[in-house]
């Protein structure tokens, strides 16, 4: 088998996005918090390509970050068209024998299956160039496929260069091609900018290959939706809807229940185990991994979380958090970076956790802040507890050891340790360590003043009368 390579074109500005920003290119726009370019790279990934080259330019720093783990980066400093973009990849590829699949970073719906089929078709037919085509009801904006009387592809005509008759053609260029690599690079210098956009069109290689007598073919994409190119924000939303449906459908078919797919947003890299049930209004993004038999939602937002099995989580916001099994979380928990929750805990009703460990069987059931703390096992944190971890300049860590009972309204001034099975009295401001099995009490002793309530009321009445 011949070696296979890929070039992804991602340097264009994306003028039709109508953005004021100059730091991001069109291919960095996200769908489900994942950039368009990443979708294309994910589709290429399983094809076992020898080399992948991504051409970046406008907003190139951002695009490079998206692609650098997966591909070699080349720069197209000035964007003079798709053909010019290919020229930039010459130092990386021009000497190599094999076939190169070229695709655009703005077509996020392409699947591995389609890209693989195009490569196979190209090789099996011994083509020099194979174009992926589709038939669209509304072909506006796409290059049209011009065929001769024998059905051979003669040329691709860009929308801007089309005659009235050509505009009516519904077979379009999806922007994906497989080229004989050598023949591509050996003939790039034949491209010119004599067209409506004054750009080097990669699509002109079709005419050039034909004139050289090279074999040009095309493969029609079974699902025309796959070829949708994102040029403006309307197409971005269209593509997002299709991708979301694809992901949700895939999960449901693999054994995940999604009660309302229309209000469920799950990113392309998220993994969810069987028998997990997702209620409405749930968003799960990034590299989140969720186990089996969980009940999630309604109204949750997770990013980069690792969640075990059998948890119940409602109305909760989690990011960069690891969670064990059988926990009862929410409603209204927010846990962020660096939180590790064990198993069989109960955390909910308006709590915030940050950069803390929370041990097995521990509870924090109402209105507390736990920041920079190591909470052991079977700890009970009473209502309205605050771990004061910040002095305005530095952050400090506190420890609440196994079996401790934190009375309601305790403020722990970090760094401080509550010992094993210790207790803090409700309303205490704890500034010093409490030993194992001890009780820390840090508030004034109560004084009851007999008859004072009546006196107080009389004084208030008198004040009122004086005013009148
Ligand atoms: C292109 C094709 C068109 C096809 C359509 C499919 C050309 C001339 N036209 O049109 O036939 O139907 O894709 O979606 O190729 N880019 C660069 N450098 C540049 C210009 C563009 O890297 O100088 C990149 C863009 O970032 C984008 C891709 O190439 O990812 C396609 O460019 P775009 O301007 O979107 O081309 P279309 O007008 O959509
Ligand atoms: Ca495009």
């Amino acid at each position: 088998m011949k070696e296979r390579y890929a070039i992804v074109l991602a340097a264009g500005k994306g003028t039709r996005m109508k953005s004021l920003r100059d730091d991001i290119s069109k291919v960095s726009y996200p769908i489900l918090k994942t950039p368009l370019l990443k979708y294309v790279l994910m589709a290429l990934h399983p094809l076992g390509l020898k080399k992948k080259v991504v051409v970046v330019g406008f907003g190139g720093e951002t695009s490079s970050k998206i692609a650098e783990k997966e591909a070699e980066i080349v720069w197209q400093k000035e964007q003079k068209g798709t053909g010019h973009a290919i020229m930039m990849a010459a130092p990386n590829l021009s000497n190599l024998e094999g076939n190169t699949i070229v695709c655009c970073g703005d077509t996020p719906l392409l699947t591995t299956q389609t890209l693989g089929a195009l490569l196979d078709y190209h090789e099996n037919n011994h083509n020099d160039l194979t174009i992926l085509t589709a038939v669209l009801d509304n072909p506006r904006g796409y290059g049209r496929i011009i065929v001769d009387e024998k059905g051979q592809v003669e040329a691709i005509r860009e929308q801007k260069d089309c005659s009235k008759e050509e505009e009516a053609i519904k077979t379009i260029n999806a922007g994906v091609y497989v080229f004989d690599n050598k023949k591509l690079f050996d003939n790039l210098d034949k491209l010119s900018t004599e067209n409506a956009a004054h750009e080097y069109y990669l699509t002109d290689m079709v005419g050039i290959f034909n004139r050289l007598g090279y074999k040009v073919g095309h493969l029609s994409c079974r699902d025309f939706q796959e070829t949708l190119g994102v040029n403006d924000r309307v197409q971005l939303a269209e593509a997002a809807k299709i991708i979301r449906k694809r992901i949700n459908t895939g999960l449901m078919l693999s054994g995940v229940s999604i009660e309302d797919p229309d209000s469920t947003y799950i990113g392309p890299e998220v993994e969810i185990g069987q028998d997990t049930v997702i209620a409405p209004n749930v968003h799960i993004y990034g590299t989140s991994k969720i186990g089996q038999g969980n009940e999630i939602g309604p109204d949750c937002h997770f990013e980069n979380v690792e969640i075990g099995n059998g948890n119940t989580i409602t109305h909760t916001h989690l990011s960069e958090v690891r969670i064990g099994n059988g926990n009862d979380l929410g409603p209204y928990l927010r846990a962020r970076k660096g939180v590790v929750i064990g198993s069989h805990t109960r955390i909910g009703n308006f709590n915030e956790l940050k950069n803390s460990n929370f041990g097995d069987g521990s509870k924090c059931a109402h209105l507390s802040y736990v920041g920079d703390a190591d909470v052991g096992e079977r700890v009970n944190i009473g209502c309205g507890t605050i771990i004061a971890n910040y002095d305005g300049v530095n952050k400090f860590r506190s420890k609440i050891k196994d079996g401790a009972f934190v009375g309601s309204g305790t403020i722990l001034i970090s760094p401080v340790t509550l010992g094993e099975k210790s207790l803090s009295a409700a309303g205490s401001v704890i500034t010093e360590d409490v030993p194992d099995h001890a009780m820390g009490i840090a508030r004034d002793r109560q004084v009851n003043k007999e008859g004072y309530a009546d006196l107080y009321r009389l004084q208030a009445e008198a004040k009122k009368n004086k005013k009148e």
Side-chain angles (χ1 to χ4, degrees):
M1 204 175 81
K2 284 190 167 176
E3 294 292 0
R4 294 170 163 188
Y5 316 101
I7 304 175
V8 181
L9 306 181
K13 174 171 186 219
T15 313
R16 289 163 276 183
M17 298 304 272
K18 303 269 168 68
S19 173
L20 296 172
R21 294 180 62 171
D22 59 8
D23 58 333
I24 66 164
S25 64
K26 179 174 66 178
V27 300
S28 320
Y29 278 76
I31 287 178
L32 298 164
K33 300 208 184 248
T34 303
L36 298 179
L37 174 58
K38 182 123 187 229
Y39 284 93
V40 178
L41 294 170
M42 284 192 294
L44 288 169
H45 183 87
L47 294 172
L49 304 166
K50 185 90 190 287
K51 209 188 236 281
K52 277 173 270 181
V53 179
V54 175
V55 185
V56 305
F58 189 89
E61 298 293 341
T62 318
S63 314
S64 304
K65 283 207 187 80
I66 298 163
E68 66 196 3
K69 282 206 191 99
E70 189 68 27
E72 297 170 21
I73 307 288
V74 299
W75 280 80
Q76 184 194 20
K77 289 260 154 57
E78 248 185 295
Q79 291 85 49
K80 299 187 204 160
T82 46
H84 181 250
I86 298 285
M87 294 173 198
M88 304 300 112
N92 302 51
L93 286 167
S94 62
N95 293 325
L96 303 174
E97 295 285 349
N99 289 313
T100 298
I101 185 163
V102 175
C103 39
C104 299
D106 67 349
T107 47
L109 295 163
L110 290 168
T111 60
T112 302
Q113 210 187 2
T114 297
L115 298 174
L118 187 71
L119 278 158
D120 291 345
Y121 181 87
H122 176 88
E123 287 169 1
N124 295 339
N125 288 280
H126 305 286
N127 284 350
D128 296 309
L129 164 58
T130 310
I131 304 150
L132 183 69
T133 60
V135 180
L136 301 188
D137 281 343
N138 176 13
R140 214 183 152 69
Y142 291 91
R144 309 298 204 281
I145 302 290
I146 315 280
V147 289
D148 64 16
E149 49 295 345
K150 285 187 234 138
Q152 283 292 110
V153 181
E154 212 171 70
I156 297 174
R157 192 87 69 240
E158 291 307 305
Q159 170 85 37
K160 285 182 186 166
D161 303 290
C162 276
S163 65
K164 269 270 163 304
E165 295 76 57
E166 288 167 341
E167 254 184 39
I169 296 171
K170 294 197 155 148
T171 307
I172 60 99
N173 165 30
V176 186
Y177 326 81
V178 180
F179 285 94
D180 175 283
N181 187 65
K182 279 286 230 180
K183 287 178 176 159
L184 168 65
F185 283 99
D186 287 350
N187 294 292
L188 273 179
D189 58 358
K190 298 192 172 66
L191 288 176
S192 81
T193 54
E194 282 158 35
N195 52 53
H198 305 293
E199 286 185 351
Y200 294 99
Y201 288 164
L202 177 60
T203 44
D204 286 348
M205 290 312 289
V206 176
I208 293 166
F209 269 42
N210 276 322
R211 281 195 288 285
L212 289 164
Y214 294 162
K215 195 169 175 214
V216 179
H218 73 108
L219 180 69
S220 184
C221 191
R222 277 185 310 130
D223 177 3
F224 71 91
Q225 276 190 334
E226 274 195 41
T227 62
L228 178 71
V230 174
N231 297 312
D232 59 36
R233 296 181 199 241
V234 176
Q235 288 169 325
L236 181 67
E238 270 168 24
K241 200 167 178 181
I242 297 167
I243 288 179
R244 189 152 69 87
K245 188 166 178 202
R246 237 191 228 172
I247 293 170
N248 289 347
T249 304
L251 286 166
M252 288 187 281
L253 291 174
S254 75
V256 177
S257 286
I258 299 181
E259 289 176 1
D260 178 21
D262 287 341
S263 72
T264 304
Y265 295 73
I266 299 175
E269 294 178 280
V270 172
E271 294 171 22
I272 305 181
Q274 283 155 286
D275 300 314
T276 285
V277 179
I278 313 275
N281 277 321
V282 169
H283 301 240
I284 308 175
Y285 299 120
T287 53
S288 296
K289 282 194 179 58
I290 295 173
Q292 301 172 350
N294 295 287
E295 284 175 37
I296 293 171
D299 302 328
C300 286
H301 184 114
F302 300 166
E303 214 163 328
N304 301 328
V305 297
E306 253 183 80
I307 295 177
N309 305 321
N311 298 284
T312 302
I313 310 177
T314 71
H315 300 85
T316 281
H317 196 296
L318 305 172
S319 89
E320 321 270 330
V321 169
R322 273 195 292 141
I323 292 171
N325 306 315
N327 294 288
D328 179 3
L329 307 180
Y332 307 102
L333 163 65
R334 177 167 189 231
R336 52 197 172 96
K337 208 173 164 104
V339 168
V340 180
I341 294 170
S343 294
H344 308 291
T345 71
R346 160 92 196 98
I347 315 172
N349 297 310
F350 306 96
N351 287 295
E352 181 179 353
L353 266 64
K354 187 217 89 177
N355 192 26
S356 292
N357 296 309
F358 203 86
D360 293 352
S362 290
K363 293 189 175 125
C364 181
H366 333 266
L367 299 158
S368 293
Y369 173 62
V370 177
D372 300 312
D374 297 304
V375 178
E377 298 179 3
R378 299 173 311 284
V379 166
N380 187 85
I381 296 184
C383 176
T385 294
I386 294 168
I387 304 203
N389 58 326
Y390 185 46
D391 65 4
V393 182
N394 309 292
K395 297 262 166 75
F396 301 96
R397 241 185 134 75
S398 276
K399 204 173 237 161
I400 305 176
K401 291 191 172 172
D402 295 351
F405 183 96
V406 183
S408 293
T410 297
I411 299 179
L412 296 164
I413 311 289
S414 295
V416 82
T417 297
L418 291 190
E420 254 180 64
K421 292 201 170 163
S422 68
L423 193 155
S424 75
S428 292
V429 177
I430 301 290
T431 54
E432 281 165 35
D433 292 355
V434 179
D436 295 352
H437 299 273
M439 178 175 81
I441 179 162
R443 51 170 148 88
D444 267 355
R445 192 171 282 280
Q446 184 168 328
V447 181
N448 289 338
K449 300 188 173 177
E450 293 296 333
Y452 256 57
D454 295 340
L455 191 64
Y456 172 85
R457 272 184 220 108
L458 279 172
Q459 280 173 345
E461 285 295 331
K463 245 189 230 164
K464 189 179 163 201
N465 292 338
K466 209 169 152 190
K467 260 196 214 151
E468 282 168 1

